[in-house]
Amino acid sequence: RHSRRRLRVRIFYHNLNLLSDLSKVYSLDHNQTTMGEKKSSSFVFIRDPVFGWRPAIQEGVQGDKAIVNVPEFKDEQSMMGAGDAKKGQMGQVNLKDYHAGVLPLQNVDALGNLLEFADMVKLPYLHEAGILFNLKKRHVMGMPYTRTGDIVIAVNPFQWFTELYTENKRKYYSNKLVWEESEQDPRDGLEPHVYEVSSLAYKGLAFGGIDQSILVSGESGAGKTETVKIAMNHMASVQAGPQKIDLLAEDGGAQDLDPVVQRVVDSNPLLEAFGNASTRRNDNSSRFGKYLQLQFDNQNKGGMVTTSNCNCRLAGSKCEVYLLEKNRITVHDPEERTYHIFYQIICAPQNIRVAYWEKLKDVNRDSFKYIGPSANKKVEGLTDEEHYEATVKILALVNVTGDKLKMLFRAICVVLQSGNITFGPKNGDKDQSEITSLQAVADMADLMGCSTEDLGLAFTERTMKTRTETYKVPLSANVATDAVDAFAKEVYGKIFLWVVQEVNSATAAETNYKGGGQENFGIVGMLDIFGFESFVRNRFEQLCINYANEKLQQKFTEDVFRAVQLEYEAEGIALAEISYDDNTDVLDLIEARTGVMAMLNEECIRPKGSDFDFVQKALKQNAKSPCMLSNKTDRMSFGVHHYAGKVMYDAEGFVASNQDTLPTDLEDLMYKSTNDIVSKKPEEPAAAGGGRGAPKRQKSNIVGSTVWNKYKTQLASLMANLHKTSSRYIRCVKPNMKKKPNLMEHIPTVEQLRCAGVVAAVTLARSAFPNRLDNSAVKFRYSSMWDKKAFPSKKTDSMTPEQACSCDAEAILLGTLECKEYKNKEGETKKAFVTGKTKSFFRAGAIEYLEANRATGLDSQAVTIQKLGRGYVTRKRFRDLVHGAAEREKAEREKNAREAQERADKFAKEKSDRDQGRSSRKTDLEARIKALKQQSEEADEYKTQKIQEVSDRKAKAEEEIEALREQTSEDARKALMEPKKLAAQQKKKIEENTKLIDYLKKENKKIRKDNDKIKTKYDVVKSNNEKLIENNENTGENFDDLNESTGQVHQKNEDLTVTLEKAKKDNKKLKERCMGKQEEYMSQAETRLEYQKSMARILNMIQDQSKEQQLVEDTVVIALECEAEAKAIMAALEAETGDGI
């Protein structure tokens, strides 16, 4: 019972603390409102001229002014939520400068900490500042991708996150989004990713049978090209079907791609070599638009497709290119570079360069005007030489090898060499020109396979035609130089288109898939096109680019409108609530019959058309257009109000840029070339809808249609293809101009969001209802403002929880937003909100009003809770007065008993540890004594063995001595027969043996002494060992003494071991000396035996041959004396030897 009471007390105090926190967060104060001023703290965004948007805290409102506290931040990067910032200065902002007269609210928690959302559709307050700071938060956290409905925003991190692009990550997104069945949105719970777009595009084609397109846009350096490569590589992976994720394999167990798929994937970098360049903003900037169509063999198209029978396989690809930036060929910014392929051929190995053209020997960048001096920089981590090797490998992959490869690089050399041709006045006449670089033009003629005369005439003269005659007009040096530049641009344009055609020939499914002949492939198109551009000086190219973005924005708006329409229908909201503005006015201004580009085409056709006349006609014809802008101080400029903002265009050079055609002389010169790429005639693009396109002027020396007509035709064809597909969008954003990771600059990022149409999409999506909240959130946040008696809920018991929550939310909002209702032009009353099935949608200003007043009903609830809390505290104090002393005494007794028990447990534990330690030491000593006893027994056994060995050697020696004694006696007998001379020698030998015997006697005495010492020490050890065993029997009480005795025994045993080892060594040395002496004695005995034999032979010979009897008798006597003397010596030797041994 007491425990339950304590639990209730803890719960109460927990709730009381929560109430206190809420009171601090929402500033509950009965004196919050004063006369003429409305105070309510809210976390908001305000505009800033330096940072675009910055966080602030709205403290109150005075009329049309908002009182704000602007926190201080260290720098722009540290600007996140206002909760952790230092309090700054107070100020006022004009609410008239903000939409609907309210400041945009921050998406923060109760403490002002910025929240991040993977899907910005879930942002409670979705507006430009909210999008900016949500992207910034995720960018700093290392999350480059963010979702906005079906749009993925990719912020360039300027670093590579390996963990985002592993093979396992590819398989995970493929399995989740394509191959696993789910009744809900499969993206729920998944982080946004490029793989999400590619997976859903494949799924739409494979399972829905609808062609898909992925539109990637963004400014230079935002990562468009890299994003397209990532998506394309994943598309090639996802078509392999469901795959098992291998967590142990390196890189997730990447598999080899099919050769066709590999060719499609690898051919993409080839176009980068010929169409990309290094700019101030990006080292690998695409200078052309590209629409890559991945072709799939969708065998189950039209039937019932499931994950088990899906068989949609990548079969090939085709690529279309748009608006290559040709001006970069002849001139580029000193800090930038021209196209990569020029640097690659210059940095190729010299033997390879010379094989293409012998004049490339010992050349560098300064050798060609079009390249010029530039820094040696790596592009994507590789040098130009390494990129050249990669380019040649990919060219071989698309069957460009041998003569075709040489023809390609010689055509590139034609472009490079064109820049080295120079001109000067001819014979002092500035109106005429001649070539001054004779060697350069000779080299050029060699490359092209034509004569120098043809080159000179084509570059210095212009052929003019009339109805009746044809004549030549000389060109000035400047005009001739322009003609060469135009020639180089046209040749490179042909080279680029030729490369594209070769890639298509090698990758197109119609000719390469299953032997060719198959048609009607499924398409997943991937559009990588230039983003909206607005510079200090905008030219013809910017107008074309921005026109393309206007067309894409129109489709983007239509797709977003359809998405909003589906959302409103799902929530049960009337579609009449949606209204939006499209960009039809801008498109009409540019492409209509009397539009800007029509006026430009007219000036290009007119014989004396000029840029000035073009501007004046365009302004006059479109004066009533709301999107046409004029500059009264500059008559050569005009402006267009695009969806992304106002852009002023400098019309200088518009007419010349739109023509972009060659004189017939230069075109004929190309036809004379032996290089097939240079001499190939250009193919006119087909008009959209199968039309014939713009008519040609037959009488002009300018051939072909205008650039605008070609571009418009291509774009119309592209848009027609896109409208046949289900489109998905990836908007790439460059967060800062410094190319640094984890840094986001506000103003450039906001401008890109506007140019990408993200802000426009948000404006459209929330044109009627800018803010929305889940009905459960409405009920939780604003229930304190609900007057249930005046506005009861319409829910019933039969309703589902979702329906009941919707009824509650509607009842709450009816009462709280009644004051925000208004009447439209038709006199109809419009509510400030609409409640759907799961969400509530709010008009502008409604959510801000609720947030400002949500604390109104909390004070009465706080008083009720405080009343209950104070009563409980008072009762608790009274109980403490009555029962406190007893409880304290009981607690003290329990404490003392607990401490006594702890001490007893501690003592028992210490005693147990001591006993265990003694037992462990005793066991160790017994083991050591046993080991010592075993060592002693082994020593005894060893000693016995050694004594036995010595005894055996002694017995053997005695036997040898006995044998020697017998041999010596025999030898002595025989020696008596030898002459006296031999007897003297024998005597000398016997003396030496005597000395040897003396030495052996001494050594034997030493051995006996050492043996006695060993016996003595052994007796001591044995005695000590017996004492030790006797002491061991009395162990148990005095382990310290036993341990000391054991140490002494151990020390004595070590001394005995040392002595024993020394004796062993001495014994070994003595044995070696004995063996040596024995060998010497045996040698002397053998010598003496030979002497005796000789003496016996001499005696026998004398007895047999001598005739003098006296001589024979004397010799026999001497021999007997010698034998007797030898016997006496041997007897003495035996006596000494016996005593010594």
Side-chain angles (χ1 to χ4, degrees):
R1 183 166 64 252
H2 290 295
S3 63
R4 289 197 298 270
R5 185 183 298 116
R6 287 194 294 270
L7 179 61
R8 288 197 296 271
V9 170
R10 287 197 297 270
I11 294 174
F12 173 79
Y13 273 110
H14 177 70
N15 294 334
L16 197 62
N17 291 332
L18 288 178
L19 177 64
S20 177
D21 293 339
L22 288 172
S23 300
K24 293 177 182 178
V25 172
Y26 295 110
S27 303
L28 297 178
D29 188 355
H30 293 289
N31 301 320
Q32 190 175 21
T33 305
T34 60
M35 185 68 67
E37 180 179 351
K38 180 181 178 182
K39 289 187 177 180
S40 179
S41 296
S42 301
F43 295 102
V44 297
F45 292 109
I46 61 173
R47 288 193 175 93
D48 187 278
V50 178
F51 304 116
W53 290 98
R54 69 180 301 156
I57 303 174
Q58 180 178 330
E59 301 291 354
V61 178
Q62 289 182 338
D64 59 352
K65 303 289 185 180
I67 303 172
V68 296
N69 183 347
V70 184
E72 295 181 0
F73 295 94
K74 181 181 178 181
D75 49 28
E76 183 180 29
Q77 184 64 12
S78 62
M79 288 185 184
M80 288 294 184
D84 297 331
K86 295 181 180 180
K87 299 299 181 183
Q89 297 180 353
M90 300 296 294
Q92 293 184 349
V93 295
N94 192 349
L95 294 176
K96 293 181 179 180
D97 298 335
Y98 295 85
H99 180 67
V102 293
L103 299 179
L105 294 173
Q106 298 181 36
N107 297 289
V108 295
D109 58 16
L111 299 178
N113 300 314
L114 188 66
L115 302 175
E116 60 89 15
F117 292 83
D119 192 342
M120 291 196 290
V121 169
K122 298 180 181 179
L123 284 175
Y125 315 118
L126 183 58
H127 41 69
E128 183 177 276
I131 294 173
L132 170 66
F133 278 83
N134 189 68
L135 291 176
K136 181 178 181 180
K137 178 77 171 181
R138 291 179 61 79
H139 177 63
V140 172
M141 294 173 64
M143 301 177 181
Y145 301 113
T146 306
R147 187 186 304 118
T148 304
D150 291 333
I151 308 166
V152 171
I153 300 175
V155 180
N156 192 340
F158 294 114
Q159 57 183 316
W160 184 258
F161 295 115
T162 304
E163 66 276 8
L164 291 181
Y165 308 103
T166 62
E167 187 67 20
N168 278 336
K169 187 71 72 173
R170 293 185 186 184
K171 295 176 182 178
Y172 178 74
Y173 275 84
S174 301
N175 294 341
K176 279 286 185 181
L177 298 174
V178 180
W179 305 111
E180 294 181 7
E181 298 181 358
S182 175
E183 296 180 356
Q184 300 178 347
D185 188 344
R187 297 177 299 175
D188 291 343
L190 279 179
E191 273 291 312
H193 203 293
V194 173
Y195 293 163
E196 165 191 321
V197 179
S198 53
S199 295
L200 293 177
Y202 176 83
K203 186 175 183 179
L205 175 65
F207 293 87
I210 302 174
D211 289 346
Q212 306 286 310
S213 60
I214 300 174
L215 280 62
V216 183
S217 64
E219 75 163 44
S220 179
K224 299 187 301 296
T225 302
E226 191 65 31
T227 300
V228 169
K229 288 193 287 187
I230 293 172
M232 185 174 66
N233 288 338
H234 184 245
M235 194 79 68
S237 175
V238 70
Q239 56 96 34
Q243 303 177 61
K244 183 179 179 181
I245 297 177
D246 189 355
L247 298 177
L248 299 179
E250 185 177 356
D251 195 25
Q255 299 178 351
D256 295 334
L257 296 178
D258 181 84
V260 175
V261 178
Q262 191 71 46
R263 189 180 302 172
V264 172
V265 173
D266 291 345
S267 62
N268 186 65
L270 183 59
L271 299 182
E272 294 182 12
F274 287 84
N276 288 23
S278 295
T279 66
R280 290 177 179 266
R281 295 184 176 184
N282 184 8
D283 290 339
N284 191 30
S285 175
S286 297
R287 311 314 300 164
F288 67 102
K290 175 177 63 179
Y291 183 53
L292 179 65
Q293 301 179 54
L294 300 179
Q295 299 171 300
F296 288 84
D297 180 13
N298 195 2
Q299 299 179 2
N300 296 331
K301 185 175 181 180
M304 184 63 181
V305 183
T306 63
T307 56
S308 59
N309 67 354
C310 178
N311 192 18
C312 184
R313 294 290 179 264
L314 182 60
S317 68
K318 289 193 298 186
C319 183
E320 296 179 7
V321 294
Y322 305 93
L323 202 64
L324 176 69
E325 186 185 15
K326 293 183 179 180
N327 287 337
R328 183 171 293 271
I329 299 166
T330 58
V331 62
H332 57 83
D333 188 285
E335 298 296 325
E336 298 182 349
R337 307 206 312 176
T338 183
Y339 292 106
H340 296 324
I341 191 63
F342 293 133
Y343 301 91
Q344 292 178 15
I345 191 172
I346 294 300
C347 293
Q350 180 158 292
N351 61 326
I352 296 178
R353 295 201 310 261
V354 173
Y356 298 142
W357 184 37
E358 61 275 7
K359 299 296 182 179
L360 290 178
K361 183 179 181 180
D362 298 329
V363 298
N364 52 38
R365 297 173 183 177
D366 294 331
S367 303
F368 299 99
K369 173 188 171 184
Y370 288 161
I371 299 179
S374 59
N376 288 320
K377 62 168 63 178
K378 290 186 177 181
V379 178
E380 296 185 343
L382 299 179
T383 63
D384 291 322
E385 182 177 357
E386 292 170 334
H387 274 296
Y388 165 79
E389 295 174 356
T391 300
V392 172
K393 289 181 180 178
I394 301 173
L395 284 169
L397 192 66
V398 296
N399 302 321
V400 178
T401 58
D403 293 340
K404 289 177 70 175
L405 181 65
K406 182 176 181 180
M407 178 180 66
L408 171 62
F409 281 106
R410 285 180 69 88
I412 296 172
C413 292
V414 169
V415 178
L416 291 175
Q417 188 64 17
S418 298
N420 292 347
I421 299 178
T422 58
F423 301 89
K426 184 177 183 179
N427 300 326
D429 186 356
K430 295 182 179 180
D431 294 333
Q432 300 185 47
S433 63
E434 62 181 358
I435 297 175
T436 57
S437 53
L438 299 180
Q439 184 59 47
V441 76
D443 295 340
M444 178 86 162
D446 175 60
L447 273 172
M448 293 186 61
C450 58
S451 64
T452 56
E453 183 180 357
D454 291 336
L455 284 173
L457 293 176
F459 290 148
T460 59
E461 293 181 352
R462 177 71 54 81
T463 300
M464 305 298 292
K465 293 182 180 180
T466 64
R467 292 185 178 181
T468 58
E469 61 178 338
T470 300
Y471 58 93
K472 300 281 188 177
V473 175
L475 303 177
S476 65
N478 291 336
V479 176
T481 301
D482 293 340
V484 172
D485 290 344
F487 177 81
K489 294 177 187 178
E490 185 67 18
V491 172
Y492 192 78
K494 288 186 173 185
I495 293 172
F496 186 66
L497 292 178
W498 184 86
V499 172
V500 173
Q501 291 173 1
E502 290 297 317
V503 171
N504 287 340
S505 299
T507 60
E510 290 84 355
T511 56
N512 295 280
Y513 182 66
K514 293 183 178 180
Q518 185 176 341
E519 296 182 356
N520 299 324
F521 291 97
I523 298 296
V524 176
M526 308 185 73
L527 181 64
D528 175 9
I529 201 166
F530 9 69
F532 189 90
E533 294 185 350
S534 179
F535 303 130
V536 176
R537 187 176 183 182
N538 299 288
R539 299 183 180 276
F540 175 77
E541 289 80 7
Q542 277 69 50
L543 181 58
C544 292
I545 290 172
N546 293 341
Y547 167 69
N549 280 273
E550 288 284 356
K551 297 290 286 186
L552 294 172
Q553 181 65 21
Q554 184 183 44
K555 185 179 188 305
F556 179 60
T557 303
E558 294 173 356
D559 292 340
V560 172
F561 175 78
R562 282 196 294 270
V564 175
Q565 180 180 354
L566 292 174
E567 182 183 16
Y568 279 26
E569 288 177 349
E571 291 292 332
I573 299 175
L575 296 177
E577 297 287 355
I578 306 177
S579 61
Y580 71 97
D581 296 326
D582 58 16
N583 60 344
T584 303
D585 293 340
V586 182
L587 293 173
D588 288 342
L589 172 62
I590 297 175
E591 65 181 3
R593 290 186 177 181
T594 59
V596 173
M597 302 313 292
M599 298 298 100
L600 180 60
N601 277 342
E602 185 176 321
E603 284 302 305
C604 291
I605 295 174
R606 200 164 62 89
K608 295 184 178 181
S610 65
D611 297 326
F612 178 81
D613 292 341
F614 152 65
V615 173
Q616 301 311 311
K617 287 183 180 179
L619 291 174
K620 182 178 179 180
Q621 291 292 336
N622 299 279
K624 296 181 180 180
S625 173
C627 301
M628 189 70 185
L629 306 175
S630 62
N631 188 350
K632 295 181 179 180
T633 61
D634 186 2
R635 307 270 303 200
M636 281 290 290
S637 66
F638 66 95
V640 178
H641 194 166
H642 293 282
Y643 72 92
K646 299 177 181 179
V647 180
M648 298 302 297
Y649 296 95
D650 185 352
E652 183 179 354
F654 260 55
V655 174
S657 296
N658 189 36
Q659 289 175 342
D660 192 33
T661 51
L662 283 179
T664 54
D665 303 86
L666 297 180
E667 197 167 63
D668 292 340
L669 176 63
M670 287 192 294
Y671 297 156
K672 294 178 181 178
S673 174
T674 57
N675 191 303
D676 292 341
I677 299 176
V678 178
S679 61
K680 185 178 181 180
K681 293 185 178 181
E683 298 178 0
E684 292 295 333
R692 296 183 179 179
K696 298 181 181 179
R697 287 173 50 87
Q698 298 295 332
K699 299 178 182 179
S700 174
N701 68 314
I702 305 298
V703 296
S705 61
T706 62
V707 172
W708 170 252
N709 284 339
K710 295 179 182 178
Y711 186 58
K712 183 179 179 182
T713 300
Q714 284 184 313
L715 195 57
S717 175
L718 172 64
M719 297 308 300
N721 291 332
L722 291 179
H723 278 291
K724 297 176 183 178
T725 65
S726 176
S727 299
R728 304 181 186 278
Y729 298 90
I730 301 176
R731 296 304 195 227
C732 298
V733 176
K734 185 178 182 181
N736 64 80
M737 301 300 113
K738 301 174 184 178
K739 303 179 183 178
K740 291 184 178 180
N742 300 326
L743 175 64
M744 178 170 284
E745 298 172 347
H746 293 183
I747 292 180
T749 303
V750 169
E751 290 177 351
Q752 292 177 72
L753 292 174
R754 292 171 183 167
C755 294
V758 175
V759 176
V762 171
T763 303
L764 169 60
R766 302 200 171 183
S767 57
F769 303 104
N771 302 304
R772 61 198 68 187
L773 286 175
D774 291 341
N775 289 331
S776 58
V778 171
K779 185 176 178 181
F780 174 78
R781 295 172 73 88
Y782 309 123
S783 59
S784 61
M785 305 169 64
W786 184 11
D787 187 352
K788 296 184 179 180
K789 294 181 180 179
F791 300 93
S793 175
K794 298 179 181 180
K795 66 180 180 181
T796 62
D797 295 338
S798 60
M799 289 183 176
T800 63
E802 187 179 83
Q803 293 171 338
C805 186
S806 177
C807 291
D808 290 344
E810 185 175 16
I812 293 171
L813 297 177
L814 279 173
T816 55
L817 294 178
E818 186 178 15
C819 61
K820 302 295 288 184
E821 294 179 354
Y822 68 97
K823 291 186 177 181
N824 59 13
K825 297 179 181 179
E826 290 76 17
E828 298 176 349
T829 301
K830 291 291 186 180
K831 295 185 295 184
F833 72 97
V834 173
T835 303
K837 296 178 181 179
T838 61
K839 300 177 183 178
S840 293
F841 298 79
F842 300 90
R843 297 190 190 277
I847 196 75
E848 290 79 5
Y849 173 81
L850 291 173
E851 288 295 321
N853 294 276
R854 62 179 295 192
T856 302
L858 292 178
D859 50 358
S860 61
Q861 299 178 13
V863 170
T864 302
I865 297 175
Q866 289 171 358
K867 178 185 69 175
L868 297 173
R870 291 190 181 107
Y872 173 80
V873 171
T874 303
R875 289 190 296 273
K876 184 176 183 299
R877 288 176 180 173
F878 178 76
R879 286 194 301 269
D880 288 344
L881 290 175
V882 177
H883 304 290
E887 292 292 336
R888 285 193 295 273
E889 290 177 0
K890 180 182 178 182
E892 185 68 22
R893 288 195 300 271
E894 291 177 351
K895 179 181 178 182
N896 294 335
R898 186 169 58 254
E899 291 178 352
Q901 183 65 34
E902 289 177 354
R903 287 194 297 271
D905 293 342
K906 182 178 180 182
F907 177 78
K909 184 176 184 302
E910 290 176 352
K911 185 176 183 301
S912 175
D913 293 341
R914 287 195 302 272
D915 293 342
Q916 184 177 1
R918 288 177 178 177
S919 176
S920 177
R921 288 195 297 273
K922 179 180 178 181
T923 303
D924 293 340
L925 288 174
E926 289 176 350
R928 293 161 74 179
I929 290 170
K930 183 178 180 181
L932 289 173
K933 185 176 180 181
Q934 183 178 358
Q935 292 177 2
S936 178
E937 292 175 353
E938 291 177 354
D940 291 342
E941 183 179 355
Y942 178 77
K943 178 184 176 183
T944 304
Q945 182 180 357
K946 289 299 180 181
I947 292 173
Q948 182 66 33
E949 290 178 357
V950 171
S951 300
D952 293 342
R953 287 199 300 272
K954 179 180 178 181
K956 186 177 180 181
E958 289 176 350
E959 293 177 356
E960 291 177 352
I961 291 172
E962 182 64 25
L964 182 61
R965 183 183 296 115
E966 294 177 357
Q967 184 66 36
T968 304
S969 177
E970 180 67 21
D971 292 342
R973 187 185 63 83
K974 294 180 180 180
L976 292 175
M977 302 302 294
E978 293 182 359
K980 291 182 178 181
K981 183 178 180 180
L982 293 176
Q985 292 178 354
Q986 183 67 25
K987 184 178 181 179
K988 185 177 179 181
K989 291 293 181 180
I990 291 173
E991 290 176 353
E992 290 176 357
N993 291 336
T994 302
K995 293 180 181 180
L996 174 61
I997 291 171
D998 293 335
Y999 176 79
L1000 290 175
K1001 287 171 65 177
K1002 291 179 182 180
E1003 292 297 327
N1004 192 19
K1005 289 179 180 180
K1006 288 182 181 180
I1007 290 173
R1008 281 191 297 177
K1009 290 179 180 179
D1010 292 338
N1011 192 21
D1012 294 336
K1013 289 180 182 180
I1014 291 172
K1015 286 182 178 181
T1016 303
K1017 289 183 179 180
Y1018 175 77
D1019 294 336
V1020 173
V1021 171
K1022 186 176 181 181
S1023 175
N1024 291 334
N1025 192 22
E1026 290 174 353
K1027 291 179 181 179
L1028 182 60
I1029 294 172
E1030 182 179 356
N1031 292 333
N1032 184 40
E1033 294 176 354
N1034 299 324
T1035 56
E1037 294 295 333
N1038 194 356
F1039 284 100
D1040 295 333
D1041 295 339
L1042 182 61
N1043 191 22
E1044 183 178 357
S1045 300
T1046 303
Q1048 294 176 356
V1049 171
H1050 181 69
Q1051 182 64 37
K1052 291 179 179 180
N1053 189 42
E1054 288 181 351
D1055 296 339
L1056 178 61
T1057 302
V1058 173
T1059 304
L1060 183 61
E1061 290 296 328
K1062 184 177 180 182
K1064 288 179 182 179
K1065 292 180 181 179
D1066 295 339
N1067 192 20
K1068 183 178 180 181
K1069 292 180 181 179
L1070 178 60
K1071 182 179 178 180
E1072 291 175 354
R1073 285 197 294 271
C1074 288
M1075 293 299 293
K1077 292 299 181 177
Q1078 183 179 0
E1079 291 177 357
E1080 184 178 357
Y1081 177 80
M1082 293 300 296
S1083 176
Q1084 292 176 356
E1086 290 176 357
T1087 303
R1088 186 169 57 252
L1089 181 61
E1090 291 296 324
Y1091 287 166
Q1092 290 176 352
K1093 291 180 179 179
S1094 299
M1095 190 173 181
R1097 286 195 299 270
I1098 293 170
L1099 184 60
N1100 293 332
M1101 183 179 64
I1102 291 173
Q1103 288 176 350
D1104 295 334
Q1105 297 180 4
S1106 177
K1107 295 179 180 181
E1108 295 181 8
Q1109 186 65 29
Q1110 187 63 37
L1111 177 60
V1112 172
E1113 291 177 357
D1114 291 340
T1115 303
V1116 171
V1117 171
I1118 293 172
L1120 292 175
E1121 289 177 354
C1122 289
E1123 181 178 0
E1125 187 178 357
K1127 288 181 178 180
I1129 293 173
M1130 291 300 298
L1133 181 61
E1134 286 179 4
E1136 292 178 358
T1137 304
D1139 295 338
I1141 296 175

